[in-house]
Amino acid sequence: MRIVYVYPQFAHLAGTERVLIDKMNYLADKAGVEVLMVTYEQGSHPIAYPLSYKVKHIDLDVRFYILYRHNIIIRLYKRYLYEKLLQRRFNQLMAEVRPDIVIATTFHGNIMSMIASCPCKFVKVLESHIDKRFVHNNDPVNLNKWTTRLRSIYDMYVLNRVSCNFNVVVALNDRDADDWSTKLRTIVIPNIVHLNDTGRYSKQDSKRVLFVGRYNFQKGIPDLFSIWKLVYKLHPDWCLDLYGDGDLRDIPYSESDCLAYNINVHKPDSNIIERYIESSIFVLTSLYEPFGLVMPEAMSCGLPVVAFDCPSGPANIITDGVDGFLVKERNVSLFADRICQLIDSYDLRVSMGNAAICSSQRYSATNIMGQWLDLFNELLSVA
């Protein structure tokens, strides 16, 4: 079996990049699959996460990001030329490789178009890492720009038109699968999760609450700061640690506030499992979260999770009152109360943390990749 994964670049410490690399590594190392990773903007950037030597990597060297040096007219013209160049290089590579399956993500419309237009015959699979309704409409700040809004409308048009050329879309939750089902066949397979394999777990004796995620609009960080200020009034001896990447303008960040409320803002940590183990509670304040990779990661380290019951992932991962708390209707005060409830009870943190360790095992590589292999074999049997 020969499988190709196509993605612009793997240069950032982010969830989708890690999930895709984990899948490729598993298929190559454990399942004996011939895996090719195709990028086009990797350049000289190092690959963000360890990649198995068995996974072959080819970069097509078409760097769209340099187009932003130009004005809008030149940018559009050169983008057209770059897309033609990328299509030619991709077609040539696929003719040489002759893959059985090619996989892309739904939020890269240019990649979807490129795969759909390729004359070579192979099974086409879409991975939905962002719910369809949020793919190109996820940041109202950006959409205030008329050029960005027009681009968003066009990208959604391309998404709907091109997706029909694929054999199946793999969604992370039932709601997203339902949205896609009007276009093509859908199946739900949760993300593979990098679970804690150290044999060590949180001792629940550190006064640390942890957030991990990108610093952007989706993550609802302004609400997190409001929540923490309420918690801090009652528990000034506890601290809030944030680990993430992105634009700090998207969080209500000031050094004086952080000092006043015992908040620590960090860059991404490649050894995030250790940061989980050093903490006692995990929080997620996203406005939407199709899966929420960091939740089962934290749970596998023995952390209870407090999260908003947002569309669509947290309710599929957390059992409210058992291994964490789901807070409805973005109720900031109730969210703070749930954190305080855990802070006030060591026994509750321990019992929920133990339950979280057990429930997180649903997302082990063996369980999830077994479902992927079943899907691949089925698709090839009818191709």
Side-chain angles (χ1 to χ4, degrees):
M1 187 187 304
R2 186 175 296 132
I3 297 178
V4 173
Y5 281 84
V6 188
Y7 202 71
Q9 42 75 18
F10 291 87
H12 301 292
L13 293 169
T16 301
E17 285 83 341
R18 179 165 53 177
V19 165
L20 294 176
I21 287 178
D22 281 348
K23 289 176 181 177
M24 287 185 276
N25 288 343
Y26 185 96
L27 291 170
D29 293 337
K30 302 291 181 64
V33 174
E34 187 176 342
V35 180
L36 173 62
M37 182 174 81
V38 176
T39 59
Y40 53 86
E41 292 185 319
Q42 191 71 33
S44 60
H45 299 290
I47 295 172
Y49 298 98
L51 184 69
S52 169
Y53 73 93
K54 295 182 180 180
V55 177
K56 184 177 181 181
H57 173 220
I58 294 177
D59 186 70
L60 298 176
D61 193 24
V62 183
R63 305 181 192 183
F64 287 89
Y65 59 83
I66 68 173
L67 298 180
Y68 289 93
R69 302 171 183 173
H70 306 290
N71 64 47
I72 186 66
I73 302 300
I74 295 176
R75 189 188 312 167
L76 289 173
Y77 173 66
K78 287 200 170 187
R79 182 178 182 85
Y80 170 79
L81 297 180
Y82 276 33
E83 287 174 347
K84 293 295 183 183
L85 174 62
L86 180 60
Q87 185 74 62
R88 287 197 304 272
R89 290 181 177 178
F90 180 76
N91 290 352
Q92 181 180 356
L93 179 61
M94 292 301 98
E96 295 171 359
V97 172
R98 296 189 177 276
D100 298 302
I101 298 171
V102 176
I103 300 173
T105 58
T106 57
F107 48 85
H108 290 295
N110 57 331
I111 294 179
M112 291 173 59
S113 296
M114 177 182 72
I115 293 172
S117 300
C118 183
C120 301
K121 183 179 179 181
F122 46 74
V123 174
K124 304 174 183 69
V125 176
L126 277 176
E127 288 194 22
S128 178
H129 288 271
I130 297 178
D131 283 12
K132 185 173 184 286
R133 59 196 184 282
F134 296 126
V135 171
H136 296 294
N137 190 29
N138 59 347
D139 193 337
V141 175
N142 288 338
L143 293 181
N144 286 335
K145 303 174 183 177
W146 70 268
T147 54
T148 308
R149 184 177 291 277
L150 286 177
R151 179 70 193 183
S152 175
I153 294 171
Y154 173 74
D155 285 344
M156 186 56 73
Y157 164 75
V158 170
L159 181 70
N160 285 318
R161 178 176 58 82
V162 175
S163 62
C164 299
N165 294 283
F166 284 72
N167 298 83
V168 65
V169 62
V170 180
L172 295 174
N173 58 71
D174 292 332
R175 171 67 185 274
D176 191 35
D178 288 342
D179 288 345
W180 277 105
S181 63
T182 60
K183 295 291 181 183
L184 72 166
R185 178 193 172 192
T186 61
I187 186 172
V188 176
I189 301 179
N191 269 335
I192 182 174
V193 176
H194 186 68
L195 298 176
N196 173 24
D197 60 1
T198 66
R200 295 179 292 108
Y201 304 94
S202 170
K203 295 180 180 179
Q204 290 298 339
D205 57 1
S206 69
K207 297 182 178 182
R208 311 184 78 88
V209 176
L210 181 65
F211 167 92
V212 178
R214 287 185 64 79
Y215 303 143
N216 62 14
F217 168 79
Q218 175 198 348
K219 300 302 179 180
I221 298 177
D223 282 342
L224 175 58
F225 272 58
S226 298
I227 290 163
W228 186 251
K229 289 177 181 180
L230 296 175
V231 173
Y232 183 82
K233 290 179 182 179
L234 299 175
H235 300 282
D237 53 336
W238 280 65
C239 73
L240 172 65
D241 287 313
L242 288 79
Y243 284 86
D245 196 4
D247 193 339
L248 291 177
R249 291 176 300 178
D250 288 326
I251 69 174
Y253 177 85
S254 74
E255 290 188 12
S256 58
D257 273 347
C258 290
L259 287 172
Y261 294 101
N262 213 2
I263 299 171
N264 306 304
V265 180
H266 309 273
K267 288 294 185 180
D269 192 322
S270 60
N271 195 14
I272 196 64
I273 291 293
E274 291 299 322
R275 306 294 83 79
Y276 291 131
I277 293 172
E278 294 168 358
S279 306
S280 293
I281 301 168
F282 186 81
V283 294
L284 191 78
T285 51
S286 297
L287 299 169
Y288 59 91
E289 197 69 61
F291 182 73
L293 187 69
V294 290
M295 287 185 287
E297 280 183 353
M299 294 163 75
S300 75
C301 297
L303 299 188
V305 176
V306 184
F308 282 123
D309 188 13
C310 64
S312 301
N316 292 331
I317 296 172
I318 299 170
T319 302
D320 187 39
V322 176
D323 48 26
F325 290 116
L326 288 169
V327 180
K328 297 185 180 299
E329 298 175 356
R330 300 203 67 80
N331 188 325
V332 168
S333 296
L334 180 57
F335 200 113
D337 289 344
R338 290 306 194 194
I339 294 175
C340 291
Q341 186 178 347
L342 287 166
I343 289 176
D344 289 333
S345 176
Y346 170 82
D347 290 340
L348 181 61
R349 296 200 303 273
V350 169
S351 64
M352 281 193 165
N354 288 336
I357 293 170
C358 293
S359 63
S360 68
Q361 301 310 305
R362 294 172 289 167
Y363 307 106
S364 69
T366 301
N367 287 339
I368 300 304
M369 293 312 296
Q371 297 176 54
W372 274 102
L373 287 167
D374 288 344
L375 175 63
F376 292 154
N377 288 325
E378 177 205 331
L379 290 170
L380 291 177
S381 70
V382 298

